[in-house]
Amino acid sequence: MTMDFNRTVLVTGGSGFIGSHLVCALVNKHPEWRIINLDNLDYCCSPRSLESIEDKANYTFIRGDVCNPRLLNHIFNTEHIDVIFHLAAKTHVESSFQSPSSFQLVNIDGTRVLLGAAHQARHQPQRFIYVSTDEVYGASLDKVFDENNSVRPNNPYSATKAAAEYLVRSYWDKYKFPIIITRSNNIYGPRQYTEKVIPRFLTLLQMNKKCTIQGTLPKSRHFLFVDDAISAFLLLLEKGTVGEIYNVGTSCEIPIMQLARQLVKMVKNVPDSEVNNWLEFVPDRPRVDLRYPITCEKLQQLGWRAEVSWAEGIRQTVKWYQENPGFWSEAVEDQGQIRSKLEEVTKT
């Protein structure tokens, strides 16, 4: 049975947190499009994130590494890829100090390999959307960044994202290859891996452990609910101008301390007087940035607005973690099984 799809979309890293929400949105909103998810199922991915759509006729999963040129060339030569959303990346700042080379490999080399394969494809893609981060701007106390500000990344993670952006832009400058770059604030929501701050606090509280807050300086983050980020990506696919960069941001800035207190109240139902019992201060990690304010007027001019309030977004997020307490511990087991199955296959 072959269905005629009028557009083929490749999402790299489609089993990750943001990627799985994007893939589900594409598959459900556009039954007339074929959606291909390329993911190597690293530790922060769960195949369960895509359970709701894995049997849909317009969805295809390819397990593979974005750094593998033979695989990428094969995909682009056999599939008529019209649109690429490139999300596959290592993203955890702390880990990037411990293993910068793996971040360079995935974030820079992976982007280089993908760009090369996409550009050389016989069927030329109409859009290549690179999902980057507000962290490329570096930290700021008072200055609000717009897309014309220079980048000053100050950790190995954001440095590799900035380097990948330069690669992506070079294909626009040299070949007019139709790229768009997004730089978004901290995205949060259901299914996010437990190393990021909101799921980390929620997981600790579920295990009856205290929220660990790093350092003494008042840090804050701008939090964007995942559904709003996805609507921005889909809008930019249709209305974004090629060769341009778009900030995807929110005015919702939450001090980490306030975030911890709010989650304690929501999960533990304790009175204000007992909230502090669930907080623990730990030494700062190396060079934590205090805040990353960005303006996204350029995206708003295309008609985008963040629709989900902080109160509603955090309510949905907490509810999901309460209803799926074993999701990530089981995902780790799933992966162990996947790995051992693969090892059996490769041994035989």
Side-chain angles (χ1 to χ4, degrees):
M1 177 189 113
T2 57
M3 289 177 63
D4 286 331
F5 296 111
N6 59 24
R7 200 178 216 184
T8 301
V9 180
L10 173 69
V11 180
T12 69
S15 299
F17 161 52
I18 302 168
S20 67
H21 282 271
L22 176 61
V23 167
C24 289
L26 287 164
V27 168
N28 290 321
K29 281 196 172 100
H30 294 287
E32 76 284 9
W33 295 1
R34 178 152 184 247
I35 313 303
I36 301 174
N37 167 18
L38 172 69
D39 201 299
N40 68 346
L41 297 181
D42 198 0
Y43 71 94
C44 55
C45 298
S46 169
R48 296 173 60 188
S49 295
L50 294 158
E51 274 173 343
S52 64
I53 54 139
E54 61 191 8
D55 298 327
K56 295 278 178 85
N58 63 332
Y59 174 64
T60 304
F61 174 65
I62 299 174
R63 180 165 185 170
D65 192 331
V66 73
C67 300
N68 177 342
R70 279 182 59 192
L71 172 64
L72 274 285
N73 288 328
H74 175 73
I75 292 171
F76 279 94
N77 287 330
T78 53
E79 309 290 346
H80 288 247
I81 307 285
D82 300 302
V83 172
I84 300 111
F85 281 99
H86 181 31
L87 287 84
K90 283 190 166 297
T91 63
H92 191 45
V93 174
E94 274 178 79
S95 310
S96 76
F97 283 97
Q98 286 145 16
S99 60
S101 59
S102 67
F103 279 69
Q104 288 178 18
L105 182 67
V106 177
N107 298 359
I108 302 175
D109 280 1
T111 302
R112 175 182 58 77
V113 169
L114 181 63
L115 280 165
H119 173 247
Q120 286 161 9
R122 285 190 294 269
H123 178 81
Q124 274 298 289
Q126 303 152 7
R127 288 290 179 276
F128 183 106
I129 297 176
Y130 179 63
V131 176
S132 189
T133 169
D134 59 358
E135 294 200 31
V136 296
Y137 292 115
S140 163
L141 283 175
D142 44 14
K143 184 177 164 61
V144 175
F145 297 113
D146 68 28
E147 292 84 354
N148 298 316
N149 284 112
S150 52
V151 298
R152 294 190 57 185
N154 54 16
N155 61 60
Y157 159 61
S158 54
T160 60
K161 292 296 280 186
E165 281 192 17
Y166 281 116
L167 277 175
V168 171
R169 292 189 72 173
S170 71
Y171 273 71
W172 165 250
D173 292 338
K174 187 164 170 54
Y175 306 113
K176 287 293 172 267
F177 189 66
I179 63 102
I180 291 175
I181 293 171
T182 71
R183 292 173 179 161
S184 50
N185 280 146
N186 280 39
I187 296 172
Y188 75 99
R191 306 204 293 268
Q192 187 170 30
Y193 185 64
T194 52
E195 68 191 359
K196 301 292 200 238
V197 64
I198 291 174
R200 184 166 64 88
F201 283 168
L202 288 173
T203 307
L204 286 166
L205 291 170
Q206 282 175 333
M207 294 160 62
N208 277 322
K209 294 181 178 169
K210 297 182 180 187
C211 295
T212 50
I213 296 171
Q214 290 164 326
T216 48
L217 290 169
K219 297 176 197 63
S220 66
R221 289 289 177 267
H222 292 76
F223 287 108
L224 179 66
F225 191 61
V226 64
D227 294 2
D228 284 329
I230 301 309
S231 70
F233 300 154
L234 298 181
L235 178 69
L236 287 170
L237 171 59
E238 304 308 331
K239 293 191 176 172
T241 304
V242 293
E244 294 289 325
I245 297 171
Y246 292 89
N247 285 345
V248 183
T250 161
S251 53
C252 168
E253 183 174 9
I254 308 286
I256 297 299
M257 185 73 176
Q258 181 190 325
L259 169 69
R261 298 181 67 94
Q262 190 175 352
L263 293 178
V264 168
K265 282 189 195 173
M266 291 175 79
V267 176
K268 291 295 172 193
N269 294 319
V270 294
D272 288 1
S273 58
E274 289 174 32
V275 168
N276 287 350
N277 302 345
W278 290 96
L279 307 179
E280 182 183 353
F281 293 88
V282 296
D284 221 339
R285 65 187 190 190
R287 280 294 316 241
V288 175
D289 295 328
L290 299 183
R291 55 195 295 265
Y292 303 97
I294 58 175
T295 172
C296 51
E297 279 169 38
K298 190 168 163 181
L299 174 62
Q300 288 170 341
Q301 283 166 2
L302 300 179
W304 179 82
R305 291 289 178 278
E307 305 279 343
V308 183
S309 68
W310 168 252
E312 175 56 23
I314 199 66
R315 187 193 68 75
Q316 283 187 36
T317 304
V318 170
K319 181 168 180 269
W320 184 88
Y321 281 90
Q322 286 174 329
E323 289 171 359
N324 298 271
F327 187 87
W328 282 112
S329 54
E330 285 160 31
V332 172
E333 286 165 28
D334 290 347
Q335 292 202 328
Q337 285 163 0
I338 292 168
R339 282 205 189 92
S340 56
K341 274 182 196 155
L342 277 173
E343 280 156 18
E344 281 165 30
V345 171
T346 48
K347 276 176 195 155
T348 51

